[in-house]
Amino acid sequence: MEPLIQLRNVTKLFGSRVDAAKRLLQEQQSKEVIRKTTGSTVALNQVNLEIFPGELFVIMGLSGSGKSTLLRCLNRLIEPTDGSVVIDGQDILEFSKTELNLFRQRKTAMVFQKFGLFPHRTVIDNAAFGLEVQNVDKERRLHIAREKLSLVGLEGWENHYPGQLSGGMQQRVGLARALACDPDILLMDEAFSALDPLIRDEMQTELLQIQQLLHKTIVFITHDVKEALRIGDRIALMKDGEIVQVGTPEEILTHPADDYVARFIKGVDVTRVLVAQDVMKRPSPLLREKDGPTVALRVLREAGLSSGFVVDDTRRLRGLVTADELVQAAESSGRTLAVCSYEEVLCVSESTPLEELVSMIVTTRFPLAVLNDQLQLQGLVLKSSILEAMAHQRGAAYAT
Amino acid sequence: MLPKLPLDQWVNHVVEWVYNHYGTLLGSIAQVVKTAIDSVNQAALVVPWWLVIVVFACLAYLAGKWKLMAGTVLGLLLIYDLSLWQEMITTLVLAVISAFISILIGIPLGICTAKSIRLHRVLAPLLDLMQTMPPFVYLVPVLLFFNIGVVPAIFATLVFALAPAIRLTRIGILQVPEEMVEAARAFGSTDLQLLWKVQLPLALPTIKAGINQTLLLALSMVVIAAMIGAGGLGANVMSALETVDVGKGFEAGLSIVILAIILDRISQKIGSA
């Protein structure tokens, strides 16, 4: 697949003697030397990055790492000093002022940390701002704005002013304003950082839902590791204007590129990052419903278990049967397991977070069954597997 | 000892040169402007006094409900009762026209100085000079160019009242939060869209404060304006000074104060209530 966004050696220097600083940078001088000799600061140092269509790409880093500067280079709110930014096959740094405005109107939309809503406009006029700038006629733009507002759950708030809304609701307006332009690329600058933790969780979930619906390419900036790991398809970790590591959340958790990344992710609450799929064990042995009780008893005895999960021909879960029940069925000479009465088991999906698994597993004496969308049994979650995952702070809990 | 800089002679030469080359032109411009303002003044005097009070009462009601309306009516009635009505109208026309021209020049200039730091650097000391130079210093050459009457009065008022309109417009635009400017730009706004849709609406309260200041400064120039033949309440103050009639002076002064308060309250609150 062709990348939608391609950054080549993107460099940004702030200061007055930028040319001199650029030369020093090319001579591989350190940032400290450059700052002392020219007074320029290096915000971005030859960043290379590829972002693919439909990706939710997170750029993570501490404040001052250059992540916001990098994001603003993608729509030239900040002009890179050097390098190229190719989006959809065009180098946006070569755009004229008019072309740039068109590009900003059609291709990208931005969501801001402090929302950036216009206090003198109603909610719906805020949401319609991007379309207004494009000179879309009033009826049409209000129609689209209303549609996007209801997508983010703000029906009925159209005629309020941003100041009358809570932070979470204001950011929903910000999101609706961005979506109203139907951009290919959403640029989100610490979009949820100013919100309360609970609201932040809610907004993250909602963003993921909207993303499933619309399949935008999202570049999301955050300083919050948990947020990055939770929503990112891929994550780039930045430090001092450079990208330290790019990878999926699992790759970053399990194979941190260096000590800095390792320190960054240390202390991450794995119960919020890992899901059932990451901690489940292969369900073996499995009992088939059409087997006889004596066969099943022998299978259990060989595995040293006192109960087993029963599936049908298509691997759908029927329930859990105990050895006692099997003995009774064998004595009454039942032909298949269908005569047994099954125990109820708790079922979870593959994407249930570990956090929820923990609270479920303490309420049952049996393992949790992990089912896919077709209700087929994919794996089991045992108390021991959860403990194992939590003990490994790196999350290397792929026991199979 | 330092040799004395012949600054006085330079200025005299410049004034002389302008007078010799453009004196007639400036004189005829002044004549046209004077005719225009006189006719506005005449028209305003034709309007019956009670109708003026009704109009002001309505404006006052819009700006500040019953309380302001009652004060306005009482104040204007007092001026009428003191038989200073004609003088008040002349002063009002002069102040409003001066303020209007100041705003017409000041707001666009304020926008320009907000956008261009270079223009601001040139204009800022000039504005300081306009506000602090004693008016009598530039009244003499202005009289030379425009003759005596209402035109030099307006010119002097402009010099004095222009600065707040420019300054407060600039401040209002610069005070618009960076994030909002960024948001407008991120959605592809042109410079003009940014100005009309975001910067001006958000700067409006500050710009209105500038308009209010301009109006009051224009009014505070009436006495000086009267000295160069603009007439109005200022002329009454002047003649009271000459005849040492403290009572008459107080009456005219009080009328100026009443007019100032009414204009201030109405221009401050109208549109934001």
Side-chain angles (χ1 to χ4, degrees):
Chain A
M1 197 166 28
E2 278 286 298
L4 181 63
I5 302 173
Q6 216 169 354
L7 303 185
R8 288 271 164 273
N9 295 319
V10 173
T11 301
K12 177 67 192 178
L13 300 159
F14 286 111
S16 45
R17 294 172 58 199
V18 163
D19 284 334
K22 208 156 89 181
R23 262 199 309 281
L24 288 175
L25 198 63
Q26 272 154 5
E27 289 163 16
Q28 307 282 329
Q29 295 286 350
S30 80
K31 294 186 196 76
E32 196 54 30
V33 172
I34 293 171
R35 199 176 56 77
K36 281 212 177 108
T37 52
T38 67
S40 295
T41 41
V42 183
L44 292 175
N45 186 7
Q46 299 166 62
V47 171
N48 289 291
L49 198 61
E50 287 182 342
I51 298 172
F52 295 92
E55 242 186 337
L56 204 169
F57 193 92
V58 175
I59 300 171
M60 174 171 71
L62 300 174
S63 56
S65 62
K67 54 191 194 305
S68 280
T69 308
L70 184 61
L71 187 77
R72 280 163 174 72
C73 285
L74 298 182
N75 63 358
R76 277 176 65 186
L77 281 180
I78 289 177
E79 295 284 347
T81 314
D82 207 4
S84 74
V85 179
V86 177
I87 293 180
D88 211 5
Q90 286 175 296
D91 189 345
I92 67 162
L93 301 185
E94 278 162 17
F95 281 165
S96 68
K97 211 171 168 183
T98 326
E99 285 173 322
L100 179 62
N101 275 337
L102 263 178
F103 164 80
R104 285 172 176 168
Q105 287 173 9
R106 303 287 150 87
K107 286 268 172 195
T108 64
M110 202 160 175
V111 181
F112 296 86
Q113 179 172 10
K114 290 177 200 136
F115 321 133
L117 299 178
F118 305 118
H120 62 291
R121 290 169 159 252
T122 57
V123 165
I124 191 157
D125 281 338
N126 263 291
F129 181 81
L131 297 168
E132 193 181 318
V133 167
Q134 297 174 28
N135 293 321
V136 174
D137 66 87
K138 190 166 181 178
E139 200 180 323
R140 210 172 108 72
R141 72 172 184 249
L142 290 186
H143 175 76
I144 295 172
R146 194 166 288 124
E147 205 176 273
K148 301 301 171 192
L149 282 172
S150 76
L151 180 70
V152 297
L154 279 182
E155 249 163 25
W157 291 90
E158 287 88 351
N159 297 318
H160 287 70
Y161 283 89
Q164 300 170 296
L165 270 56
S166 69
M169 289 162 89
Q170 289 192 35
Q171 195 54 298
R172 281 163 203 265
V173 179
L175 194 56
R177 176 174 67 177
L179 292 174
C181 304
D182 195 26
D184 297 339
I185 301 165
L186 264 182
L187 305 173
M188 304 187 70
D189 181 23
E190 301 244 13
F192 303 150
S193 300
L195 304 175
D196 294 339
L198 284 179
I199 309 286
R200 196 184 311 161
D201 266 19
E202 213 174 278
M203 293 293 285
Q204 288 165 359
T205 311
E206 219 155 302
L207 179 69
L208 291 175
Q209 280 166 0
I210 289 172
Q211 171 64 350
Q212 250 177 9
L213 206 68
L214 303 177
H215 301 293
K216 302 285 180 198
T217 305
I218 302 177
V219 185
F220 193 105
I221 300 285
T222 185
H223 62 260
D224 181 353
V225 194
K226 279 183 279 182
E227 186 166 66
L229 293 170
R230 174 154 182 227
I231 65 172
D233 292 328
R234 283 197 305 149
I235 297 170
L237 192 82
M238 286 191 76
K239 183 197 173 197
D240 297 339
E242 287 170 33
I243 289 185
V244 190
Q245 186 175 9
V246 182
T248 63
E250 281 78 8
E251 279 166 9
I252 295 215
L253 272 179
T254 51
H255 300 101
D258 59 18
D259 274 0
Y260 181 77
V261 183
R263 260 182 295 142
F264 208 91
I265 57 173
K266 197 176 145 195
V268 170
D269 181 1
V270 286
T271 61
R272 295 165 63 100
V273 177
L274 297 180
V275 294
Q277 207 173 15
D278 300 327
V279 298
M280 68 187 185
K281 312 252 179 198
R282 189 183 297 157
S284 76
L286 268 185
L287 307 178
R288 285 175 302 176
E289 197 167 32
K290 63 180 180 191
D291 288 341
T294 6
V295 178
L297 266 174
R298 197 174 61 228
V299 171
L300 286 187
R301 201 182 312 122
E302 277 170 9
L305 296 169
S306 58
S307 60
F309 283 85
V310 184
V311 293
D312 65 11
D313 283 349
T314 57
R315 223 183 142 90
R316 284 212 192 95
L317 180 68
R318 305 296 301 169
L320 180 131
V321 71
T322 59
D324 293 347
E325 183 64 29
L326 284 174
V327 171
Q328 267 184 27
E331 279 167 1
S332 60
S333 65
R335 299 267 304 280
T336 66
L337 293 185
V339 299
C340 302
S341 61
Y342 299 133
E343 301 281 339
E344 283 285 321
V345 286
L346 293 175
C347 301
V348 296
S349 78
E350 290 163 304
S351 60
T352 309
L354 195 54
E355 203 177 19
E356 277 175 47
L357 301 179
V358 172
S359 57
M360 287 173 83
I361 198 121
V362 296
T363 64
T364 171
R365 55 200 175 94
F366 301 118
L368 305 175
V370 182
L371 308 183
N372 65 9
D373 291 344
Q374 284 80 45
L375 300 178
Q376 290 165 323
L377 185 63
Q378 296 296 303
L380 303 176
V381 176
L382 290 82
K383 278 187 186 124
S384 62
S385 46
I386 290 181
L387 289 175
E388 198 180 321
M390 288 169 75
H392 273 76
Q393 274 290 300
R394 294 272 176 80
Y398 299 101
T400 42
Chain B
M1 278 290 278
L2 275 172
K4 186 196 175 287
L5 211 59
L7 198 56
D8 50 352
Q9 284 172 35
W10 294 347
V11 173
N12 284 340
H13 282 309
V14 170
V15 171
E16 215 170 292
W17 184 83
V18 172
Y19 182 73
N20 287 336
H21 286 78
Y22 298 103
T24 6
L25 178 70
L26 289 173
S28 38
I29 291 177
Q31 198 53 47
V32 173
V33 176
K34 185 175 154 49
T35 318
I37 291 170
D38 280 348
S39 47
V40 172
N41 205 0
Q42 288 305 316
L45 282 173
V46 169
V47 180
W49 62 272
W50 52 266
L51 189 59
V52 175
I53 294 187
V54 169
V55 169
F56 267 93
C58 290
L59 286 174
Y61 180 77
L62 284 178
K65 301 290 169 220
W66 298 108
K67 233 167 125 183
L68 184 55
M69 184 174 148
T72 302
V73 171
L74 280 179
L76 290 177
L77 276 178
L78 180 65
I79 295 177
Y80 182 75
D81 179 61
L82 297 172
S83 41
L84 289 170
W85 189 259
Q86 285 202 5
E87 288 81 354
M88 189 277 285
I89 291 292
T90 308
T91 295
L92 181 67
V93 167
L94 184 73
V96 168
I97 287 182
S98 309
F100 183 73
I101 299 174
S102 300
I103 290 160
L104 224 56
I105 300 171
I107 290 181
L109 260 182
I111 293 169
C112 292
T113 51
K115 303 256 166 189
S116 156
I117 186 76
R118 213 175 287 166
L119 181 63
H120 171 68
R121 282 200 187 124
V122 175
L123 218 55
L126 199 66
L127 293 184
D128 292 334
L129 183 132
M130 281 160 59
Q131 277 194 302
T132 47
M133 179 70 78
F136 298 101
V137 174
Y138 54 81
L139 273 182
V140 177
V142 165
L143 278 177
L144 259 177
F145 298 150
F146 297 122
N147 299 327
I148 210 154
V150 79
V151 178
I154 286 189
F155 187 89
T157 310
L158 267 185
V159 170
F160 193 61
L162 192 57
I166 297 175
R167 284 219 168 97
L168 284 162
T169 303
R170 173 171 185 272
I171 289 172
I173 285 181
L174 292 182
Q175 269 174 350
V176 173
E178 182 56 34
E179 202 168 49
M180 261 152 233
V181 176
E182 221 180 20
R185 288 215 179 283
F187 282 96
S189 306
T190 60
D191 290 346
L192 217 59
Q193 282 174 325
L194 173 69
L195 183 67
W196 279 110
K197 291 180 195 295
V198 178
Q199 288 177 317
L200 279 184
L202 289 174
L204 198 60
T206 316
I207 294 177
K208 270 161 79 178
I211 293 174
N212 171 269
Q213 285 298 303
T214 299
L215 195 53
L216 289 189
L217 285 182
L219 205 54
S220 71
M221 281 292 281
V222 286
V223 176
I224 290 171
M227 291 179 75
I228 48 180
L233 290 170
N236 291 50
V237 175
M238 291 293 299
S239 70
L241 272 178
E242 280 156 12
T243 55
V244 204
D245 189 338
V246 179
K248 283 267 176 256
F250 182 77
E251 281 181 2
L254 184 67
S255 301
I256 295 176
V257 172
I258 290 171
L259 190 61
I261 291 176
I262 292 173
L263 289 179
D264 173 60
R265 299 302 187 272
I266 290 179
S267 70
Q268 217 172 62
K269 287 187 185 146
I270 209 153
S272 60

